[in-house]
Amino acid sequence: VSNAREQADTLQASARIFSVFRDRETELSTRRAAVLAAARGRVDWADMLDELGLVLPTDMYVTSFTGAEPNTSAGQTAGSVTMAGNAVPISDVQAPGQGYKTIAKALVRFTEMEQLDSVWLTDAHQDISAETSQPVPSIIWQVNAKISRQAAESVLPAGTSDN
């Protein structure tokens, strides 16, 4: 009987030692849940801007970029992006209106970005210089898009999911 009690005491002591690991696992689960809740709906803006820089044609540049993350507390499921800029000819030998083809090429590339959905060209017009009233070989453009759900999930830590 005393041998059985000694074994039981030894096992209980071992169980107390290993309870530290159980407590740590519970703490980690709580922290993971907090991180997931904080990251839900967040957008990795650096990644989006990096990819935008890769897909933007060389004869086009962005002058403004405005992004809004979805307001999940208000039930929004998608954020939005508005960007504007200029398309300029690379050389003087390009035909008039070449900037519009550049904008069309950029729109196709924007729609292929995993971070963007519903890409719309909201404005494209030729820039007129105020000083000479002569057309400047530049086309001002503006695009609106929705941020995809995948972009909002991309900031979640590796090996986690939003479910």
Side-chain angles (χ1 to χ4, degrees), residues 40-125:
R40 190 173 292 117
R42 301 282 316 267
V43 176
D44 187 347
W45 295 108
D47 185 52
M48 183 182 294
L49 290 169
D50 184 46
E51 187 167 347
L52 178 66
L54 293 172
V55 302
L56 202 64
T58 57
D59 49 351
M60 209 173 157
Y61 60 93
V62 175
T63 57
S64 71
F65 180 94
T66 305
E69 292 182 348
N71 184 351
T72 54
S73 63
Q76 288 181 335
T77 58
S80 63
V81 168
T82 301
M83 51 188 147
N86 291 64
V88 294
I90 295 175
S91 67
D92 294 336
V93 297
Q94 287 185 338
Q98 179 65 30
Y100 291 107
K101 290 181 182 177
T102 299
I103 293 169
K105 181 176 18 175
L107 285 173
V108 169
R109 291 178 180 180
F110 294 159
T111 60
E112 292 174 352
M113 289 177 62
E114 292 179 356
Q115 295 97 332
L116 298 179
D117 283 332
S118 304
V119 177
W120 289 95
L121 178 67
T122 56
D123 185 27
H125 64 274

Side-chain angles (χ1 to χ4, degrees), residues 2-59:
S2 68
N3 192 16
R5 282 205 170 151
E6 287 177 15
Q7 280 184 328
D9 290 342
T10 303
L11 289 174
Q12 285 178 349
S14 296
R16 279 192 296 270
I17 291 171
F18 290 117
S19 70
V20 171
F21 296 108
R22 184 186 58 229
D23 295 344
R24 290 288 183 175
E25 182 180 10
T26 303
E27 181 182 342
L28 286 174
S29 294
T30 303
R31 287 183 180 191
R32 175 175 279 131
V35 167
L36 291 175
R40 190 173 292 117
R42 301 282 316 267
V43 176
D44 187 347
W45 295 108
D47 185 52
M48 183 182 294
L49 290 169
D50 184 46
E51 187 167 347
L52 178 66
L54 293 172
V55 302
L56 202 64
T58 57
D59 49 351

